[in-house]
Amino acid sequence: MEGGESGNRGWKGGPDLRLEVGSQGIDRGIAMSDFAFAGKTFVVRLDNGVVLHNIYAAEGNRLQYAEIDGASESASGTVDLHVAEVSPKVYLLGWNEVTGTAVTHVMNFHDRTVTGFWSFDQDGGRTGEVHSGTFEELD
């Protein structure tokens, strides 16, 4: 499959189309460590009351998350990230949690907003939710 073994594809807009692929940092354009979230810690507040504490690896390829308020309070983990910069300082991030939950979210560093989608097993099938919120960087 073009773009690497993982099959995850991303794009960077503009006249010179670029591709960033998977959590291994394979890219044609920018290094994952150049992503605005790389090496930083954020609090994310979602419209459903969930509050997350997210720590991103310096390379931008891993996330350590902890739900500090909300329905699954105390849920936490460390995951590999699949990332694409879809426009300047707007990032699509995706990962799979050990529980089987698949998460994708868009971080917009222009207005510090996040839009997320996650899907999970429920009642013998799969369901999903879309939520929006804000994020702030911690020192």
Side-chain angles (χ1 to χ4, degrees):
M1 178 175 287
E2 182 184 346
E5 293 180 2
S6 69
N8 295 305
R9 298 179 183 175
W11 65 273
K12 179 170 176 64
D16 57 336
L17 183 65
R18 300 180 203 180
L19 179 68
E20 292 87 39
V21 180
S23 61
Q24 295 77 32
I26 301 166
D27 71 288
R28 297 180 194 149
I30 62 175
M32 289 186 79
S33 61
D34 291 339
F35 294 146
F37 58 84
K40 297 179 181 173
T41 301
F42 298 90
V43 170
V44 180
R45 291 178 176 83
L46 299 174
D47 59 6
N48 63 349
V50 169
V51 180
L52 299 159
H53 184 256
N54 289 355
I55 303 170
Y56 295 90
E59 299 80 20
N61 62 346
R62 292 186 55 80
L63 164 65
Q64 181 181 352
Y65 66 90
E67 187 170 331
I68 56 177
D69 197 8
S72 300
E73 189 173 337
S74 80
S76 63
T78 301
V79 294
D80 291 329
L81 291 176
H82 302 279
V83 178
E85 185 173 27
V86 295
S87 67
K89 293 200 165 209
V90 179
Y91 303 93
L92 175 67
L93 295 87
W95 64 89
N96 295 305
E97 297 178 356
V98 69
T99 61
T101 299
V103 180
T104 303
H105 74 226
V106 175
M107 292 181 78
N108 182 332
F109 278 81
H110 299 288
D111 59 9
R112 301 281 180 174
T113 59
V114 61
T115 302
F117 171 79
W118 52 86
S119 64
F120 48 92
D121 293 328
Q122 185 177 42
D123 300 327
R126 196 100 178 136
T127 191
E129 297 178 1
V130 175
H131 293 282
S132 59
T134 60
F135 63 89
E136 64 181 289
E137 185 177 350
L138 299 177
D139 294 326

